[in-house]
Structure formats: C-alpha cells, structure tokens
Amino acid sequence: MELLSGADMIARFLQDEGIEYIYGYPGGAALHIYDALFRQDKVKHILVRHEQAATHAADGYARASGKPGTVLVTSGPGATNAVTGIATAYMDSIPMVVLCGQVASHLIGDDAFQETDIIGVTRPIVKHSFSIRHPSEIPEVLKKAYYLASTGRPGPVVVDIPKDMTAPTERYEYVYPKKVKMRSYNPVARGHTGQIKKAVDLMLRARRPVFYTGGGVVTGNASEGLTDLVRHLGFPITTTLMGIGAYPQSDRQSLSWLGMHGSYEANMAMHHADLVIAIGARFDDRVTNNTSKFCPTAKTIHVDIDPSSISKTVRADVPIVGPAQSVINEMISLVQGKELQNPEALAEWWQKIDGWREERRGKLYEPSEDGEPLKPQAVIEALCKITRGEAFITTDVGQHQMFAAQYYKFDKPNRFITSGGLGTMGFGFPAAMGIKKSYPEEDVVCITGEGSFQMMMQELSTCKQYGVGVKIINLNNGSLGMVRQWQDLNYKSRHAHSYVESMPDFEKLLQAYDFTYIRVERSDELEPALEKMLVDTRELVFLDVYVDPREHVYPMHVPLGSMRDMLLSKTERT
C-alpha cells in the first residue's frame, strides 16, 4: 500500500494519466502541488507569464492533439485570470482540466487573502466542476474530471483544491483509478438507427443537398468517415469556421466554409438547398444570419452529440443525437449499394454551384500594384504556398483571422486553431506555444494583428525560457482592423478608438528577447522573408508585414438578411 500526500497524489495521477505538459503559474494556495511537481520529472510544467496564456496554451494543445489540456493556477487572481481561457474552451467544446489552488477549507467564505469562489465564477462556462473535500478522493475526482472533459461534448472542467487538501504532513492510500463510473453521466455512444435510416432516405431523394459540418466532426475524429460519405454521395460540402479541415478544402466537392465571411458559393448553396445535412455544427448566429430567413426551402438533418444543441436555433426535421463518427459510419453502411433517386437534379445542382464559383473567380481581392501596400490576402496565400498547406495555423481574432481562414487551404483536421465562439483576442500566440511544445518538428505559425499580439506578448519570455520556436506573422495595419471595418460600414468611417497609437517598436521588442525580427513592406520582399522565417523550426521568428490598412474582409453578410445577402466588395452586393 502506497501512502501519499494530496499534492503527491496529484503529481502521481498526472503521470499515470499520461499527461506530458502542464501549463501554469504558482502562488501560495498551489505551492504544495508545485513542490510535488518539482520532486518528479515525468510531468513537465511550463511557466507562463500570465494565467490566461496557460489556458490558451493548453487549449491549443488540445485542439491539435485531441487530448485534454491541463492547467494549474493558484487561488483568487490566478484563478480569475484563467476565466477568459476557460470560456474560450467552453464555447468551442475543447477538452481541458483546470486545477485551481484554493485557500484552506476552514477559511472558505471568510474573504481570506486571495480567496475567490472560482466554482461560482466559472459555473456558466464549464462542463462541470469539483471541489476537493478530502485528500483521499483526489485520484477519483481527477479521473472523473479528465473523463468528463474528453467524452460526450468535450469541454473544460475545473477542480478547486483547498490548500489543506494537499498538505505534505497528511498521507493517504493512493490507487490510480483505471475506470470511472458516474451514474448521472452517460454520454450517447451511437445514434438512433431509425432516425439515421430516415436521414439516409432523405439524402437519397434530395435534389439540392448540401453537407454543413462543424467542429464536432473534428473533435469527434470523424473527418475520415465524413470524407468517405461525402465522396460516395457526390454532394457539396461546406464547413463552419471550427470545422475547417474536416473535409479537404482542395477537393472539388468542398465549397470552403460558410457564414458571415464565408465563401460566396457556400452561402448561396445553403440558401437554395432543399436538404441541409448538419453534423457536429450548432447553427451559430455567425452562420445563420437571420434564422427566420435561413435556408427557406430546406429540410434539416441535425446530428449532434449534445441533445440541447438540436433544434435550439433552427428546427431539425430529423434530429439524431449521437457521436459524429458513429453516426457517419452507420450512414455509410446504409448508403452502400443504393442509388440516388434524382441524379439529374444533382447534376443540375452542381452546374448551379459551379456557376456561382465562376462568378467570383478572380474577384476575391484586387492585387497590389507596384509601390502599393501589400494586401493581407496575398500574405496568407504566399504562406500557404510555401508551407504546402501543411502547417499548424493559429490565429487571434479580427480581420487577420478571417483572411487566414479564407486564403490558407486546409486538407487536414486539427490544423486550423482559432477562437470561434468567444472570439478571444490574445488566443493565437499562447495557443501556438502549446502546439509547438508538443509538435516541435512541425511548422506552427501564429497569424496575428498588433492589437491582439499586445494582449499576450509577454509570452515571448516563456518562449525564450523553453526554446519554443513558433513563427509569428503580424499583419500590421496600425488599427483594430475588424472594428475599423465595421466603423467604415456602419458609422460613416468615424474611427472611434480603433487606431492603435503609440505602438511599440516590435524590432526592439524582439531584440530584447534575442529573437529574429523581419520587416516586410513590399511584395518582392514577401516570399524571401517567409522562406527565411521557416528555415529553422526551432527558432522563434516575428515577421512584421505592413499591409494595406484600408482593406476589408469580403464576402460579408448583410445584417439581418438571409445567407444569400452579402456585401461582395466596398461597392458591390448580392
């Protein structure tokens, strides 16, 4: 029988659970745990410079690997600094376990030094939370936390750990729980066969079908099955922002992604479809625009592991509760050997879609003339070309995020890493750190803007300490680009606080950390700079690309319109 303190139980459990990296920041309530981590060498702790970065780094790792990320913070301000990252993971259904130190249990409720009710604070933005009441329950509670975070609809789980629960003087029997049982939690393992048969029958009879797939396909490891099903049926497919890469974007059947800044052909196809097959997508407002005008002639099949998401905003004609992978595999088995009932109609549908594609071909943006500022779209296209579309791409939030999604073509899932639901500025750089630490030989590129980068630029220090060779491309337009775009469109170009004045000298900032800085102002400098940036995968490089500050992101939904109502340029709309 092995007797361990609560703190040593946490360290041993993390080893037994196979956790390699934990991102965190120490403080009084968590020091027993930190001491236990110091006395072992299997679980590596990465000291960030702000707790929000710890959550984003763990989140980035989870999105790239499919495994839960792990965070350790202290009580009070340490825990509240992690709230934005917890909310980011919750909105995008990302598995994460956040271990929070807490004041000693006899002090809880006394407004003790650095006390915050973090269970109460985070209740709306976690999948579940636990508070440790006795050291002996630590292994079972942690096993439940990782199980909950990574099964069903994934999400963050908070574990609140009072300091006296980790005291080194009290020891209890430690046994690693290989299995976990939770009577009140039984995630669905497969969809209802009768409903799946109804869905397949609709699919075989459809005249203008379109697949609409989201992040649930990526987190559910269902991309391979989805690709097989879509190719077998010959239907067009569009994804959400979170679903990018779930189906190869270079494939002819891909219409790219849809929604507020999605592709013209994807939005037009959705509006005119007679059947929408939604898998692992939640009909977010950035997709639907005005729900009363959404897909007016379509029946809807909705597959989701979370029953509360089905018919929440758009009524499903055929609801299917179940994991994407299982449901897709059953659909594949049911369509084998069966023929489409309206192949001529599907051929006409493809002619229509190809016509929409042709309408916009060559009209996506105006390339720069000699002497003009670089276009941000051209920067992303050049990056995609040089990395052959195979890099891990993280983004912050704003125009650069949309340009990255539009002009970098992803053929694999788990490669486009962005904050979709919460839209968190500051996400991209620490997320890239979390990915790069676990995939050191891969190209990991953070595409950011000077507004977002300044929210987390202190993490340059973390990269310096641990040798994290991420690449940072700053699309420098001197402003909060998306805010400015909305002000141009809706506020007669009254740019209230959207120009970022008194900017740092990024070159001197990078020199202070002894990192490489490259400045690009002309189109002929771009590709050589990108080549230089990618020479050494272990080296952090900051590419400061000065782009046209007047550029807008198009297409763009007309507010309160249907999916076909889009601004196509500053002077053109559907």
Side-chain angles (χ1 to χ4, degrees), residues 502-514:
S502 63
M503 291 263 284
D505 183 328
F506 286 118
E507 184 171 12
K508 289 179 180 175
L509 177 70
L510 272 291
Q511 284 174 351
Y513 289 102
D514 197 27

Side-chain angles (χ1 to χ4, degrees), residues 50-69:
H50 190 287
E51 291 88 351
Q52 183 178 334
T55 52
H56 292 332
D59 182 327
Y61 161 77
R63 293 180 198 238
S65 69
K67 302 173 186 175

Side-chain angles (χ1 to χ4, degrees), residues 265-280:
E265 57 265 33
N267 287 341
M268 294 297 282
M270 284 288 286
H271 181 80
H272 292 281
D274 73 344
L275 179 66
V276 171
I277 307 140
I279 305 178

